[in-house]
Amino acid sequence: MTLARALRVWTAPIVQLRRPHDGIRGLMAKRRFHRGDLLMSVPLDCCYFPFASREARRLRRWNRSTLFPEMPLWLLRLSPDAQEERVSLTASVSTEDNNVLNLVLSPVEAALAISVAVRYFWWEIIKLNSKEEKSKSSSMMGPLKFRSADLYVQSLPMKEHLSYGLEGPYLSTMEDEANLHSCIEQIAWNLRDCLLSYASQEEYRLYDSHPSELDAVLLAAVYVVRTRLLRMSVLHNDCTVPDRSTGVIAPVVDFLNHSAFNYSCAACVSMRKRAVVVRAARDINVGEELTLNYRGTLKQLGNSDLVGDGDWWESRYLISTEEA
């Protein structure tokens, strides 16, 4: 995998392929693995920790990842202690039974969503569709090319989200879950306003000439980034008892699809190895897909996530509760 090599991610013999029955990409074993075998090791300096701290400065220190060079600046702009006007990362929606649902996006998730959206917009929308793509001024605008960031954006299912449409990304039997799309839209529009406020005059003109594309890309990026979050244990030493758990966005690890019952992998943050480590949770046969139990890794996100009852499974992963 090109992204893994670019990020210095160690992987066992595995390959990313599309599953024949539904076309979804997944990681497949190229040889037999035994329970406990190391499958993947991702350096922490490639990862993001959206809920590492409630204090803004400490949160920024935890998220000095080298994956996106522009990420630290966006995180600073979106932090609660930002010097400029604060960007609201909270949205609410009223339900038919007079309840209020609240959604809070962490500054890290928001900054990553903008970073992903901007790169996708410039390389996939402007460069391909704009008549100005050949002009010298246009080529100097937008984010600088950065191999790891560009490869990561290419690995995300942005095209799938945009092609399927996001007005109803899933069929939910739970009204509250379905209503949360409005909250995500509100936050995406706030991110759009933030992006436009920091754009140069020429960049603003190009954004303004593609308003629907920009809105769609930002909304898709918020959805995609939310699906990347995995909850996993943090180990500070050789002891197998976790010190705590945290939310992690780890490139390549997020290639693993969900399996509720027969999952084959387990992941944790190893502070001793300074890496996110994935091991075989059971014996894995050649050609078998490597999977994680998302529900097992995402327990409680406290007030960093949705305020309300339940774990809001569908709104984050776009998988029905019945499938989970």
Side-chain angles (χ1 to χ4, degrees):
M1 292 176 287
T2 306
L3 176 62
R5 290 194 295 270
L7 297 177
R8 307 184 312 281
V9 173
W10 184 91
T11 64
I14 56 179
V15 62
Q16 188 178 37
L17 299 172
R18 291 192 179 274
R19 301 189 303 205
H21 62 281
D22 58 12
I24 294 176
R25 290 179 295 184
L27 294 180
M28 311 297 175
K30 295 178 67 175
R31 70 168 177 83
R32 180 175 173 79
F33 297 109
H34 298 285
R35 185 175 184 271
D37 284 352
L38 180 63
L39 302 177
M40 198 180 302
S41 180
V42 182
L44 292 187
D45 61 8
C46 301
C47 303
Y48 293 106
F49 301 87
F51 310 107
S53 175
R54 298 177 185 272
E55 199 275 315
R57 289 187 178 181
R58 290 190 64 188
L59 183 65
R60 290 195 292 270
R61 285 199 296 269
W62 267 99
N63 288 279
R64 293 174 176 173
S65 170
T66 58
L67 183 58
F68 284 87
E70 64 271 26
M71 175 76 177
L73 181 57
W74 282 117
L75 182 55
L76 180 63
R77 291 168 173 171
L78 294 167
S79 293
D81 60 347
Q83 295 182 357
E84 303 294 333
E85 183 178 355
R86 182 175 176 179
V87 179
S88 176
L89 301 179
T90 304
S92 303
V93 62
S94 298
T95 64
E96 293 182 358
D97 53 0
N98 296 322
N99 289 327
V100 177
L101 300 178
N102 299 311
L103 176 68
V104 180
L105 197 68
S106 78
V108 176
E109 290 176 300
L112 184 56
I114 284 188
S115 299
V116 168
V118 168
R119 285 188 175 272
Y120 188 90
F121 179 84
W122 281 93
W123 305 134
E124 298 295 331
I125 305 298
I126 295 297
K127 297 298 182 182
L128 295 181
N129 297 335
S130 175
K131 294 180 180 179
E132 298 166 286
E133 62 181 274
K134 296 181 181 179
S135 70
K136 182 177 180 180
S137 60
S138 177
S139 64
M140 297 175 63
M141 292 186 292
L144 296 175
K145 288 188 176 182
F146 195 75
R147 189 164 184 262
S148 62
D150 293 335
L151 288 172
Y152 184 65
V153 172
Q154 292 171 18
S155 75
L156 298 175
M158 290 289 291
K159 289 184 179 180
E160 288 83 349
H161 278 68
L162 291 168
S163 62
Y164 295 156
L166 291 168
E167 294 303 319
Y170 52 85
L171 297 176
S172 176
T173 57
M174 300 175 62
E175 178 191 355
D176 290 351
E177 291 275 8
N179 284 334
L180 288 170
H181 176 73
S182 298
C183 291
I184 295 175
E185 276 190 321
Q186 292 177 44
I187 294 176
W189 305 162
N190 293 343
L191 296 182
R192 175 200 58 198
D193 294 341
C194 176
L195 173 62
L196 293 176
S197 68
Y198 287 103
S200 67
Q201 184 175 357
E202 286 297 314
E203 289 174 336
Y204 188 98
R205 184 174 61 83
L206 283 174
Y207 286 139
D208 193 49
S209 64
H210 299 81
S212 60
E213 292 96 330
L214 179 61
D215 286 350
V217 168
L218 276 167
L219 183 58
V222 174
Y223 269 107
V224 168
V225 167
R226 280 171 52 79
T227 66
R228 303 294 99 181
L229 182 70
L230 295 173
R231 191 78 170 178
M232 58 184 70
S233 300
V234 180
L235 301 177
H236 284 274
N237 49 46
D238 293 329
C239 178
T240 58
V241 179
D243 296 284
R244 62 187 181 92
S245 61
T246 190
V248 184
I249 297 175
V252 186
V253 177
D254 57 17
F255 290 173
L256 295 168
N257 288 320
H258 165 72
S259 178
F261 305 107
N262 197 31
Y263 56 91
S264 57
C265 301
C268 72
V269 177
S270 173
M271 299 305 296
R272 183 176 65 85
K273 294 184 177 181
R274 301 292 300 169
V276 171
V277 175
V278 179
R279 292 187 180 275
R282 57 171 175 79
D283 290 349
I284 304 172
N285 295 320
V286 177
E288 184 178 351
E289 183 179 5
L290 308 182
T291 55
L292 276 175
N293 183 353
Y294 290 3
R295 185 177 285 277
T297 58
L298 186 67
K299 293 295 185 184
Q300 297 293 329
L301 291 178
N303 63 5
S304 301
D305 203 67
L306 292 165
V307 179
D309 297 328
D311 61 5
W312 305 101
W313 171 264
E314 297 185 19
S315 64
R316 180 175 288 278
Y317 293 111
L318 309 186
I319 301 173
S320 69
T321 305
E322 289 76 11
E323 294 179 73

